[in-house]
Structures are given as structure tokens and as C-alpha cells.
Amino acid sequence: MILGIDTFVHVVLSLIGILSGLVVAYGFLAAKRFDGWTGVFLATTVLTSVTGFFFPFHKFLPSHAVGTISLIVLAIAAYARYGRKMAGGWRRTYVITAMVALYLNVFVLVAQLFMKVPALRALAPTQSEPPFVAAQVTVLLLFVVLSVLATIRFGNEQLRTNS
């Protein structure tokens, strides 16, 4: 029962992190600062990574590597956003690290979908088959393009603050 509750909380946090992250990413593209959404995104994404370590495990797994990388990236993003207040090059650092954190959440979402959805699992039972690889490469390329555009637009435009 506890594992079920832990899983539910982890999934809800993850989905909130992804949805709020998409709002923040839209803000980057529109050169708007969504301070409230940013707080929700950073907090839920940190909590998603932290709660991932609460599941029982006997060895360090790839999911733990992703969680560790995510926490490092999020620490940099939070420092750039709140500690350095996006001054100078910290604005671009914030955008890049926030987009990397969002990408990592979506990367895990795609992996989980291929593990849990029967139709997707049938296409890629070991997650090394072409459909899985194609989905992950597509997500990566999409995030590279969005991150470049976000960095250019958010870093070069006059910002409007929205909550």
C-alpha cells in the first residue's frame, strides 16, 4: 500500500512538474517571466527527483543517474534564477538548465510510457528497439530546438512579469 501511495505522489509531482515546465518554456519563448509557474516547476521537479530515490532498489540504476543529474541541473537553475537573479549570463544559464530539467522529466515520461502502456511495450519491450529510440530522439531534437529558441528569445527580449 505504501509503495502505491509513493508511486502516486511521485507520478503526480512529475506530471505537475512537466505541465508547469511547459508553461515556463512557453514563457521563455514569449519572453515572459512566469514567476509563480517557475516556483511550481522547480519545486515539483526537485521533489520528483527526490521521491524517485525512495523506491526500493538494490543497486544504482539508470533512473538514479537521471535523478542525480536532474538535481544538479535544478540546483544550478535555482541559483541562476533566485541567487543570481538572472543577471548577465545567468539568464541564459537559467533558461538552459530549466529546459534540461524539463527535458529529463519528459525523457523519463517517454520511458515510463513505453514500460507501462501495453501497446508501446509491445513495440519496444527492452526499450532498445527503433520505436523507442525514435521517440526519444524526436523528444531530444524538439528540446534542443526549443531550448535554443528559448535562450535567444528570453535572453534578448525585454521581459514582462506575469504570475
Side-chain angles (χ1 to χ4, degrees):
M1 183 67 174
I2 296 298
L3 185 61
I5 293 169
D6 287 351
T7 301
F8 177 77
V9 169
H10 179 75
V11 169
V12 168
L13 287 169
S14 178
L15 293 175
I16 293 170
I18 290 169
L19 292 174
S20 59
L22 291 172
V23 173
V24 170
Y26 167 76
F28 292 156
L29 295 171
K32 295 180 181 181
R33 237 175 60 188
F34 295 123
D35 293 336
W37 285 105
T38 296
V40 170
F41 165 63
L42 293 174
T44 56
T45 305
V46 165
L47 289 171
T48 296
S49 293
V50 169
T51 59
F53 289 98
F54 292 162
F55 296 107
F57 64 94
H58 302 291
K59 63 179 182 172
F60 192 80
L61 300 169
S63 58
H64 298 117
V66 172
T68 301
I69 292 166
S70 181
L71 288 170
I72 292 167
V73 168
L74 287 161
I76 296 167
Y79 179 71
R81 173 64 186 87
Y82 298 111
R84 302 303 298 181
K85 301 193 185 316
M86 297 185 297
W90 289 102
R91 177 176 287 163
R92 284 194 172 102
T93 299
Y94 165 61
V95 173
I96 292 165
T97 54
M99 292 298 289
V100 168
L102 178 58
Y103 163 72
L104 291 172
N105 255 358
V106 173
F107 172 86
V108 171
L109 173 65
V110 171
Q112 288 295 315
L113 289 172
F114 272 88
M115 283 175 46
K116 308 292 184 198
V117 175
L120 294 176
R121 187 171 177 86
L123 290 174
T126 67
Q127 295 190 346
S128 60
E129 293 80 9
F132 178 79
V133 174
Q136 291 293 21
V137 168
T138 300
V139 169
L140 175 63
L141 292 175
L142 177 66
F143 268 88
V144 167
V145 170
L146 288 175
S147 297
V148 168
L149 290 173
T151 303
I152 291 167
R153 293 189 181 174
F154 194 78
N156 295 332
E157 294 292 324
Q158 189 66 12
L159 298 177
R160 296 174 297 279
T161 303
N162 295 314
S163 295

